Amino acid sequence: MRIGELARRTGVSPRALRHYETAGLIASERAANGYRVYGDGAVTRVTNIRYLLAAGLTLDDVSAFRSCLDGDMPSTPPSARGLEIARERLAVLDARIAAQTEARDRLARTLAMESGS
């Protein structure tokens, strides 16, 4: 399938697909006319890449999950490095949530003081 069809089937822009290809996460062949052509497995691979990105991983992080990208992500055990990356990202997300919660609480306290004046 060409890049436009892959984009339609996955909901991912052609630009993002080219970015994934540059990062080495998906591969295409070139047709005689120069168009990128992807195999049917690209749909699953892109869907799994999007799943990992939505979970807070970066494209570099996703590289560690290459062994899982072509199948059913939940049923394929990640590598030890993949687990390490996931734990690191979870810690980063927890820290961001804590910082945002503190900022929200600070703002709420400020507003409460203003309302009470």
Side-chain angles (χ1 to χ4, degrees):
M1 82 191 83
R2 293 194 341 210
I3 195 167
E5 182 180 349
L6 182 57
R8 280 188 298 282
R9 289 177 64 183
T10 60
V12 177
S13 71
R15 181 178 178 192
L17 294 172
R18 287 188 292 274
H19 189 63
Y20 299 167
E21 192 168 347
T22 300
L25 296 173
I26 61 174
S28 68
E29 294 182 12
R30 293 291 182 156
N33 59 8
Y35 291 155
R36 287 177 167 87
V37 179
Y38 298 90
D40 289 334
V43 172
T44 299
R45 184 168 270 258
V46 170
T47 300
N48 287 333
I49 290 167
R50 297 299 293 175
Y51 174 82
L52 292 170
L53 292 173
L57 276 66
T58 66
L59 278 183
D60 286 339
D61 296 338
V62 171
S63 296
F65 291 85
R66 285 177 202 261
S67 64
C68 306
L69 292 178
D70 292 321
D72 182 23
M73 289 281 307
S75 68
T76 306
S79 66
R81 179 67 183 133
L83 286 172
E84 181 182 340
I85 288 169
R87 288 185 185 109
E88 289 170 1
R89 286 291 162 224
L90 183 59
V92 168
L93 289 171
D94 285 343
R96 287 181 185 164
I97 290 168
Q100 290 295 309
T101 300
E102 176 58 32
R104 184 202 64 211
D105 292 348
R106 195 174 316 122
L107 181 58
R109 285 191 303 271
T110 301
L111 289 173
M113 289 188 317
E114 289 298 318
S115 297
S117 304

